[in-house]
C-alpha cells in the first residue's frame, strides 16, 4: 500500500483529500504546518507528498526543498494562487506536479496515481526483465532502475526530468511540441504548458555543459524541442529558451 502525506492547514481540505485517497487504496498521513510536515516525511517515509504552498511555520516551497534534499520524494503542490510565477517556483524547487485550488479531489487522486506510476519502482512490464541501458554521448540511462549517469557520474533527476530524458533519448532528432510532450511524458490530454518549459530548463541544467547554449536539447522555434545526440548532423549550439 502506497503512503501519501497530505499537508494543508485547512482541515476541511485535508479531510476531503485524505478521504478520497483512502478510498482509492492509499495509506494517508496528515500534517497542518511546515515543520510537522518535514518531521512526518522523515518519520513515516511516504511515497508521495501532497503539499499546500501556503503553510504556517514554514511555507510549502521550503518544505519541498527540505524533503527533496534527502530523497527524490515525489511532490504535488497545492496552491490557491493564480500567479504563474508561484507555480513555476514550486516546480523549480523540485515539485513534480501542481494543482490549483479549487480542485476536484478525484482529479487530484488521478494526478497522485499518475506520478506514482512514473516513480522509481519498475513497472510490471519491466519487473523480472532488465531493459538495456540507453546511451547517447556522455549520457547513459537505465530504464529499469531509473538511473542516469553523465560521464560516469550519477545525476539526481526528478521523476519528470527522468521521464523527459528517457523520451528524448528514445526519439532522437525528432521535433516534439510541448503539447505532445505533455501527452507522451505526463500522460495528460491538457494542462499548463509552462510545466513542460520549466522541466526542460531544469533538465538542461543537469545534462548540458552550458545550459544557456544547449547542444543536446534544442529549441525548435514555433514547434517545441528536439534532442540532438552528439555527432548528429543537427547537433550544435542553440539557446536555452
Amino acid at each position: 500500500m502506497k503512503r501519501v502525506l497530505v499537508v494543508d492547514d485547512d482541515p476541511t481540505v485535508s479531510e476531503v483529500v485524505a478521504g478520497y485517497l483512502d478510498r482509492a487504496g492509499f495509506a494517508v498521513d496528515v500534517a497542518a504546518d511546515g515543520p510537522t510536515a518535514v518531521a512526518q516525511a522523515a518519520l513515516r517515509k511516504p511515497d508521495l507528498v501532497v503539499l499546500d504552498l501556503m503553510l504556517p511555520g514554514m511555507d510549502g516551497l521550503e518544505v519541498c526543498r527540505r524533503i527533496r534534499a534527502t530523497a527524490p520524494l515525489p511532490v504535488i503542490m497545492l496552491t490557491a494562487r493564480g500567479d504563474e510565477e508561484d507555480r513555476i517556483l514550486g516546480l523549480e524547487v523540485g515539485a513534480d506536479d501542481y494543482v490549483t485550488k479549487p480542485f476536484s479531489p478525484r482529479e487530484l487522486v488521478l494526478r497522485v496515481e499518475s506520478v506514482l506510476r512514473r516513480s522509481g519502482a519498475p513497472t510490471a512490464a519491466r519487473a523480472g526483465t532488465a531493459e538495456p541501458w540507453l546511451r547517447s554521448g556522455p549520457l547513459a540511462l537505465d530504464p529499469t532502475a531509473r538511473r542516469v549517469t553523465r560521464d560516469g557520474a550519477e545525476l539526481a533527476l526528478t521523476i519528470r526530468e527522468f521521464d523527459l530524458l528517457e523520451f528524448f533519448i528514445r526519439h532522437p532528432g525528432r521535433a516534439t511540441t510541448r503539447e505532445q510532450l505533455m501527452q507522451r511524458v505526463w500522460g495528460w490530454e491538457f494542462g499548463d504548458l509552462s510545466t513542460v518549459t520549466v522541466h526542460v530548463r531544469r533538465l538542461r541544467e543537469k545534462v548540458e555543459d552550458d545550459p544557456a547554449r544547449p547542444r543536446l536539447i534544442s529549441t525548435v522555434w514555433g514547434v517545441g524541442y528536439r534532442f540532438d545526440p552528439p555527432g548528429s548532423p543537427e547537433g550544435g549550439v542553440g539557446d536555452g529558451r
Side-chain angles (χ1 to χ4, degrees), residues 2-76:
K2 296 290 186 181
R3 181 172 295 278
V4 177
L5 173 61
V6 177
V7 187
D8 199 300
D9 62 336
D10 185 332
T12 301
V13 173
S14 294
E15 182 179 352
V16 171
V17 170
Y20 271 80
L21 288 169
D22 178 71
R23 287 191 290 274
F26 294 98
V28 184
D29 297 312
V30 175
D33 58 68
T36 302
V38 174
Q40 283 270 53
L43 178 66
R44 302 288 284 174
K45 307 296 184 186
D47 297 286
L48 180 143
V49 179
V50 176
L51 177 63
D52 190 25
L53 180 62
M54 301 299 294
L55 292 170
M58 182 190 303
D59 67 25
L61 295 176
E62 183 60 26
V63 172
C64 188
R65 288 189 189 96
R66 295 196 183 193
I67 63 178
R68 292 303 304 271
T70 58
L73 179 63
V75 173
I76 296 178

Side-chain angles (χ1 to χ4, degrees), residues 167-168 171 173-182 184-185 196 218 220 223-227:
F167 178 88
F168 281 139
H171 302 88
R174 178 187 300 179
T176 308
T177 67
R178 292 189 297 169
E179 290 87 351
Q180 290 170 331
L181 288 171
M182 183 159 282
R184 300 286 297 276
V185 177
V196 178
S218 302
V220 182
V223 180
Y225 303 101
R226 184 185 65 238
F227 183 77

